[in-house]
Amino acid sequence: MSNEMEDVLAQAARWQAAGEQVAIATVTETWGSSPRPAGSQMAVTKSGKMAGSVSGGCIEGAVADAAQRTMETGTPQLLDFGVTNERAWEVGLACGGKVKVFVEKLA
Amino acid sequence: MTPALLAALEAARAAKRPVVLATRLPDGAQCLLPHPAQPAALNEAAARALAEDTSGTVTIDGAQWFLHAYTPPLRLIVVGAVHIAQALVPFASQVGFAVTVVDPRRAFASDERFPDVTVRTDWPDEAMDALAPDARTAVVTLTHDPKLDDPALDRALRSPAFYIGALGSRRTHAARLARLTALGHDAAALARIKGPVGLDLEAVTAPEIGLSIAAELVAARRGSPLAPARPVAAAA
């Protein structure tokens, strides 16, 4: 977890120090062939900046939307993505895996 | 996450102290572990997560916790600030290694040639003693010069380093093994040295060789069948 590209937390802290509102999304569980393991993170700012990833690109858009809501309300969310979920029609994982993603505000 | 908690987490990581960020799901209550004020079961689960270097969700006393293991980066000690080292270092950094380059030849071991990594210009035996390779450390020798490579390999073999690789042809490697045998290392110990170093990509250029070594480091770290067979570590 040392390298700059993977270091989402450090990036989140830098954004916050620069006055941005920041939310952090973390993969908490995976089933099947998920591309990113538990602990993978993505940081999102109110202004729309993104760093890191929680999948192979399949669900980052939906997670970023959820992050915007969490930044507005301050309420964390536990998101479920996978083939059994109704979200699958919009933002399913093409790999057929399932992931849970926790979204929290940095505040 | 509160700024205070993020600061505490970042401080632990900067100090290379292994730590778990525990998040209760779904309400998001958080704490850093280990912590004496937290339940023993939670602290034990955190210790397991750190030992296995794996994050995941556990249920303790009916509560669901996500345990995010933050372990210090793996280390790579590169002996020989040569052209191949210049190619290897960025690949190794990208895949998560904290890299130290060792070469007493100051013309080679300059910060200009190796920006962003630690460069040491002491002799490899002194550097290895100071760096004290552990089970999360890999050692790669690239100088081709027995005066520099041999002392480093000797120290590496006396450490629990998880990967030891030495650049050089099969012939060079055979001669090297004979010298290390004379230093008192037996066949089982010498089998820990991967020589020629790197996955067999038929690599030719310095960046290709750097890539093949970085790829082998990943294979060794992840326990891939492509990794060199790992004899039981003869750690002192």
Side-chain angles (χ1 to χ4, degrees):
Chain A
M1 298 291 286
S2 67
N3 86 69
E4 201 66 14
M5 282 175 60
E6 275 285 308
D7 207 337
V8 174
L9 274 188
Q11 180 63 66
R14 279 195 297 274
W15 278 336
Q16 194 187 39
E20 297 255 20
Q21 264 196 62
V22 187
I24 296 172
T26 307
V27 175
T28 61
E29 272 186 277
T30 68
W31 297 262
S33 55
S34 309
R36 304 282 285 130
S40 302
Q41 291 187 310
M42 178 170 100
V44 182
T45 69
K46 192 85 195 157
S47 61
K49 296 192 183 91
M50 284 201 284
S53 70
V54 289
S55 77
C58 324
I59 59 170
E60 274 73 4
V63 170
D65 288 346
Q68 293 295 338
R69 286 197 297 282
T70 283
M71 279 185 274
E72 275 161 30
T73 63
T75 312
Q77 302 174 64
L78 186 58
L79 309 172
D80 247 308
F81 293 97
V83 287
T84 58
N85 193 287
E86 71 272 10
R87 285 173 178 276
W89 296 106
E90 325 157 27
V91 288
L93 289 162
C95 50
K98 290 202 290 180
V99 294
K100 276 191 183 180
V101 178
F102 182 71
V103 182
E104 65 191 305
K105 185 177 175 177
L106 190 55
Chain B
M1 193 182 325
T2 63
L5 189 65
L6 178 60
L9 176 56
E10 291 292 88
R13 296 173 68 205
K16 307 213 186 313
R17 185 159 50 80
V19 71
V20 166
L21 173 65
T23 303
R24 194 167 62 198
L25 302 176
D27 70 0
Q30 286 175 320
C31 62
L32 287 185
L33 300 173
H35 195 289
Q38 299 298 334
L42 196 54
N43 275 315
E44 283 159 20
R48 273 196 302 278
L50 289 175
E52 292 163 11
D53 200 0
T54 303
S55 302
T57 304
V58 296
T59 303
I60 289 168
D61 294 336
Q64 225 189 17
W65 291 89
F66 175 63
L67 301 181
H68 197 163
Y70 288 93
T71 50
L74 298 166
R75 289 190 297 161
L76 170 64
I77 301 170
V78 178
V79 177
V82 296
H83 186 197
I84 289 169
Q86 287 179 285
L88 167 61
V89 166
F91 286 130
S93 301
Q94 285 275 310
V95 295
F97 285 84
V99 184
T100 302
V101 176
V102 179
D103 199 322
R105 302 168 298 180
R106 285 167 201 270
F108 286 95
S110 69
D111 290 335
E112 194 180 37
R113 281 164 58 84
F114 293 91
D116 309 322
V117 299
T118 310
V119 177
R120 301 180 63 117
T121 53
D122 42 356
W123 281 85
D125 46 355
E126 290 162 15
M128 292 287 286
D129 287 344
L131 292 166
D134 58 14
R136 292 173 54 79
T137 306
V139 179
V140 172
T141 63
L142 299 176
T143 73
H144 271 131
D145 180 345
K147 279 199 309 297
L148 298 171
D149 282 355
D150 287 6
L153 291 168
D154 174 51
R155 295 303 198 280
L157 289 172
R158 296 177 201 280
S159 82
F162 76 91
Y163 176 90
I164 304 171
L167 185 74
S169 67
R170 281 169 217 289
R171 226 174 79 194
T172 308
H173 191 58
R176 174 157 48 218
L177 294 183
R179 291 192 306 273
L180 289 167
T181 302
L183 287 177
H185 297 288
D186 63 16
L190 295 177
R192 291 173 65 201
I193 305 177
K194 176 65 188 329
V197 66
L199 285 188
D200 186 3
L201 307 180
E202 300 288 347
V204 173
T205 65
E208 288 174 0
I209 296 167
L211 176 63
S212 83
I213 298 170
E216 192 161 82
L217 290 172
V218 173
R221 176 203 183 166
R222 299 297 183 193
S224 157
L226 291 175
R230 228 166 129 183
V232 179

